Amino acid sequence: MDLKQAHELALSLMTEHGLIAGGWLLRWGNGRRQFGVCEIKHTRNRRTGKTTTTRTIRLSRHLALLNTDAEVRDTILHEIAHALAGTKHGHDEVWKQTCRRIGANPRRLMDDTVHTPAARYQLTCPSCRKVLANRHRVMRESHLRRAYCRWCGPDTMGKLLMTDTMQP
Ligand SMILES: [Zn+2]
Ligand SMILES: [Zn+2]
């Protein structure tokens, strides 16, 4: 499918299902194995402490070019269903129901396996400030005490910070 047409199709379907109004973005990606990704990311501004959430549907340029209109359309709907159902549902019943409702084929699970639900907690190094991990749950105290930054070394053991990105 032509990229310009694919872009227009994606935008119109995202508009129809309320994603554009909900602040979702459409982006092209360069992945060759993954056709579409539905992702929600929380980024915390270290200076202001404010958390911003970005919701994105990303489509592979290469795969959009290689596939037929019907396949591209189905991939877009597949990702829209993830956005509507909530990314944490993966390919479960809730997601399948959403697929049926919006006309996506729930059986077709082309290699889009990585759906990244929002990770709430961030493990950061107080010394180099790198984000070392994004997690869905708080790390256990006993693990946190033994963890250290692989860039800064064992001196940082027990000093890593677990921050809740949902907290203001
Ligand atoms: Zn999927
Ligand atoms: Zn470090």
PDB file of all heavy atoms in Angstrom, residues 125-130 132 149-153 156 160, ligand 2:
ATOM      1  N   CYS A 125      19.400   5.610  38.562  1.00  0.00           N
ATOM      2  CA  CYS A 125      20.657   5.684  39.297  1.00  0.00           C
ATOM      3  C   CYS A 125      20.837   7.133  39.754  1.00  0.00           C
ATOM      4  O   CYS A 125      20.767   8.052  38.938  1.00  0.00           O
ATOM      5  CB  CYS A 125      21.796   5.275  38.377  1.00  0.00           C
ATOM      6  SG  CYS A 125      23.408   5.640  39.071  1.00  0.00           S
ATOM      7  N   PRO A 126      21.085   7.354  41.047  1.00  0.00           N
ATOM      8  CA  PRO A 126      21.217   8.726  41.547  1.00  0.00           C
ATOM      9  C   PRO A 126      22.516   9.376  41.087  1.00  0.00           C
ATOM     10  O   PRO A 126      22.635  10.598  41.088  1.00  0.00           O
ATOM     11  CB  PRO A 126      21.216   8.548  43.064  1.00  0.00           C
ATOM     12  CG  PRO A 126      21.690   7.158  43.300  1.00  0.00           C
ATOM     13  CD  PRO A 126      21.254   6.353  42.111  1.00  0.00           C
ATOM     14  N   SER A 127      23.472   8.548  40.651  1.00  0.00           N
ATOM     15  CA  SER A 127      24.759   9.091  40.266  1.00  0.00           C
ATOM     16  C   SER A 127      24.793   9.516  38.790  1.00  0.00           C
ATOM     17  O   SER A 127      25.080  10.663  38.470  1.00  0.00           O
ATOM     18  CB  SER A 127      25.821   8.043  40.593  1.00  0.00           C
ATOM     19  OG  SER A 127      27.003   8.334  39.940  1.00  0.00           O
ATOM     20  N   CYS A 128      24.447   8.619  37.869  1.00  0.00           N
ATOM     21  CA  CYS A 128      24.493   8.990  36.445  1.00  0.00           C
ATOM     22  C   CYS A 128      23.120   9.416  35.915  1.00  0.00           C
ATOM     23  O   CYS A 128      23.003   9.869  34.778  1.00  0.00           O
ATOM     24  CB  CYS A 128      25.042   7.853  35.607  1.00  0.00           C
ATOM     25  SG  CYS A 128      23.976   6.406  35.536  1.00  0.00           S
ATOM     26  N   ARG A 129      22.085   9.234  36.731  1.00  0.00           N
ATOM     27  CA  ARG A 129      20.724   9.668  36.366  1.00  0.00           C
ATOM     28  C   ARG A 129      20.075   8.842  35.259  1.00  0.00           C
ATOM     29  O   ARG A 129      19.040   9.233  34.730  1.00  0.00           O
ATOM     30  CB  ARG A 129      20.703  11.156  35.969  1.00  0.00           C
ATOM     31  CG  ARG A 129      21.136  12.079  37.079  1.00  0.00           C
ATOM     32  CD  ARG A 129      19.937  12.569  37.829  1.00  0.00           C
ATOM     33  NE  ARG A 129      20.229  12.855  39.222  1.00  0.00           N
ATOM     34  CZ  ARG A 129      19.305  12.901  40.158  1.00  0.00           C
ATOM     35  NH1 ARG A 129      18.051  12.683  39.857  1.00  0.00           N
ATOM     36  NH2 ARG A 129      19.624  13.164  41.396  1.00  0.00           N
ATOM     37  N   LYS A 130      20.696   7.727  34.888  1.00  0.00           N
ATOM     38  CA  LYS A 130      20.093   6.886  33.849  1.00  0.00           C
ATOM     39  C   LYS A 130      18.870   6.146  34.401  1.00  0.00           C
ATOM     40  O   LYS A 130      18.837   5.793  35.564  1.00  0.00           O
ATOM     41  CB  LYS A 130      21.095   5.831  33.372  1.00  0.00           C
ATOM     42  CG  LYS A 130      22.118   6.342  32.389  1.00  0.00           C
ATOM     43  CD  LYS A 130      22.805   5.147  31.728  1.00  0.00           C
ATOM     44  CE  LYS A 130      23.845   5.591  30.723  1.00  0.00           C
ATOM     45  NZ  LYS A 130      25.083   6.050  31.359  1.00  0.00           N
ATOM     46  N   LEU A 132      17.287   2.880  34.681  1.00  0.00           N
ATOM     47  CA  LEU A 132      17.825   1.526  34.526  1.00  0.00           C
ATOM     48  C   LEU A 132      16.750   0.503  34.194  1.00  0.00           C
ATOM     49  O   LEU A 132      17.022  -0.513  33.580  1.00  0.00           O
ATOM     50  CB  LEU A 132      18.564   1.112  35.804  1.00  0.00           C
ATOM     51  CG  LEU A 132      19.658   2.102  36.248  1.00  0.00           C
ATOM     52  CD1 LEU A 132      20.184   1.733  37.615  1.00  0.00           C
ATOM     53  CD2 LEU A 132      20.790   2.138  35.237  1.00  0.00           C
ATOM     54  N   CYS A 149      23.902   0.119  39.734  1.00  0.00           N
ATOM     55  CA  CYS A 149      23.962   0.623  38.367  1.00  0.00           C
ATOM     56  C   CYS A 149      25.114  -0.047  37.630  1.00  0.00           C
ATOM     57  O   CYS A 149      26.244  -0.046  38.105  1.00  0.00           O
ATOM     58  CB  CYS A 149      24.168   2.136  38.396  1.00  0.00           C
ATOM     59  SG  CYS A 149      24.474   2.846  36.779  1.00  0.00           S
ATOM     60  N   ARG A 150      24.829  -0.616  36.461  1.00  0.00           N
ATOM     61  CA  ARG A 150      25.918  -1.304  35.758  1.00  0.00           C
ATOM     62  C   ARG A 150      26.914  -0.353  35.098  1.00  0.00           C
ATOM     63  O   ARG A 150      27.973  -0.750  34.652  1.00  0.00           O
ATOM     64  CB  ARG A 150      25.383  -2.327  34.771  1.00  0.00           C
ATOM     65  CG  ARG A 150      24.584  -1.781  33.625  1.00  0.00           C
ATOM     66  CD  ARG A 150      23.975  -2.951  32.874  1.00  0.00           C
ATOM     67  NE  ARG A 150      22.818  -2.548  32.112  1.00  0.00           N
ATOM     68  CZ  ARG A 150      22.806  -2.500  30.786  1.00  0.00           C
ATOM     69  NH1 ARG A 150      23.888  -2.780  30.109  1.00  0.00           N
ATOM     70  NH2 ARG A 150      21.708  -2.149  30.157  1.00  0.00           N
ATOM     71  N   TRP A 151      26.566   0.898  35.014  1.00  0.00           N
ATOM     72  CA  TRP A 151      27.519   1.874  34.477  1.00  0.00           C
ATOM     73  C   TRP A 151      28.407   2.439  35.588  1.00  0.00           C
ATOM     74  O   TRP A 151      29.581   2.639  35.408  1.00  0.00           O
ATOM     75  CB  TRP A 151      26.791   3.017  33.759  1.00  0.00           C
ATOM     76  CG  TRP A 151      26.265   2.593  32.438  1.00  0.00           C
ATOM     77  CD1 TRP A 151      26.971   2.526  31.264  1.00  0.00           C
ATOM     78  CD2 TRP A 151      24.947   2.134  32.136  1.00  0.00           C
ATOM     79  NE1 TRP A 151      26.156   2.059  30.259  1.00  0.00           N
ATOM     80  CE2 TRP A 151      24.924   1.819  30.756  1.00  0.00           C
ATOM     81  CE3 TRP A 151      23.789   1.977  32.889  1.00  0.00           C
ATOM     82  CZ2 TRP A 151      23.777   1.351  30.123  1.00  0.00           C
ATOM     83  CZ3 TRP A 151      22.640   1.503  32.263  1.00  0.00           C
ATOM     84  CH2 TRP A 151      22.639   1.194  30.899  1.00  0.00           C
ATOM     85  N   CYS A 152      27.786   2.709  36.726  1.00  0.00           N
ATOM     86  CA  CYS A 152      28.544   3.323  37.821  1.00  0.00           C
ATOM     87  C   CYS A 152      29.196   2.291  38.735  1.00  0.00           C
ATOM     88  O   CYS A 152      30.110   2.611  39.485  1.00  0.00           O
ATOM     89  CB  CYS A 152      27.652   4.233  38.639  1.00  0.00           C
ATOM     90  SG  CYS A 152      26.925   5.520  37.647  1.00  0.00           S
ATOM     91  N   GLY A 153      28.724   1.068  38.687  1.00  0.00           N
ATOM     92  CA  GLY A 153      29.347   0.021  39.482  1.00  0.00           C
ATOM     93  C   GLY A 153      28.753  -0.177  40.869  1.00  0.00           C
ATOM     94  O   GLY A 153      27.825   0.516  41.267  1.00  0.00           O
ATOM     95  N   THR A 156      27.091   2.031  43.815  1.00  0.00           N
ATOM     96  CA  THR A 156      25.707   2.506  43.862  1.00  0.00           C
ATOM     97  C   THR A 156      24.755   1.465  44.472  1.00  0.00           C
ATOM     98  O   THR A 156      23.551   1.676  44.521  1.00  0.00           O
ATOM     99  CB  THR A 156      25.207   2.869  42.444  1.00  0.00           C
ATOM    100  OG1 THR A 156      25.341   1.718  41.602  1.00  0.00           O
ATOM    101  CG2 THR A 156      25.970   4.026  41.839  1.00  0.00           C
ATOM    102  N   LEU A 160      19.934   2.909  44.502  1.00  0.00           N
ATOM    103  CA  LEU A 160      19.076   3.190  43.349  1.00  0.00           C
ATOM    104  C   LEU A 160      17.693   3.670  43.816  1.00  0.00           C
ATOM    105  O   LEU A 160      17.220   3.285  44.871  1.00  0.00           O
ATOM    106  CB  LEU A 160      18.931   1.938  42.472  1.00  0.00           C
ATOM    107  CG  LEU A 160      20.223   1.333  41.949  1.00  0.00           C
ATOM    108  CD1 LEU A 160      19.914   0.194  40.997  1.00  0.00           C
ATOM    109  CD2 LEU A 160      21.105   2.371  41.284  1.00  0.00           C
TER     110      LEU A 160
HETATM  111 ZN    ZN B   2      24.745   5.086  37.287  1.00  0.00          ZN
END
